[in-house]
Amino acid sequence: MSTQKQRRAEWTREYHAAREEVRSRSHGRCEIPDCISLATSCHHKLMGRKHPRCNEPQFLLNVCDLHHALIHGHPEISYEAGWLLHDWDVPRDAA
């Protein structure tokens, strides 16, 4: 297996493990305050998914379709609310 394929496979394994932890944390519900909808996706707060810590549960958010669209459609609100993070605001390795 090529190095790129190995990295992609490792990234996918990490994401799936973290996603399960996030689902458990949220009890399957959207994690946006005051929303009572079921979550339909696990959103990466760190855009681009290239940050080495993007798959850590604290950087994932369980969201419904409506809020996922809001996050991406209104990044200024999302950064202010903490639903999106700039990669330079997060250390590259855990402290």
Side-chain angles (χ1 to χ4, degrees), residues 2-15:
S2 74
T3 303
Q4 184 178 11
K5 284 184 180 181
Q6 288 171 327
R7 282 194 307 261
R8 187 177 300 136
E10 179 62 25
W11 187 94
T12 300
R13 278 191 297 278
E14 289 173 357
Y15 172 68

Side-chain angles (χ1 to χ4, degrees), residues 26 28-31 34-40 63-67:
S26 71
R29 298 282 180 186
C30 180
E31 294 186 284
D34 299 323
C35 184
I36 60 169
S37 297
L38 291 174
T40 54
V63 293
C64 64
D65 285 338
L66 176 73
H67 283 112

Side-chain angles (χ1 to χ4, degrees), residues 33-78:
D34 299 323
C35 184
I36 60 169
S37 297
L38 291 174
T40 54
S41 59
C42 195
H43 163 72
H44 284 90
K45 292 181 181 183
L46 290 161
M47 297 301 294
R49 302 179 189 171
K50 291 184 179 176
H51 194 286
R53 297 181 63 200
C54 72
N55 283 332
E56 292 180 17
Q58 68 265 31
F59 301 122
L60 296 170
L61 192 63
N62 225 11
V63 293
C64 64
D65 285 338
L66 176 73
H67 283 112
H68 205 197
L70 173 85
I71 289 167
H72 290 289
H74 299 280
E76 66 286 351
I77 294 169
S78 300

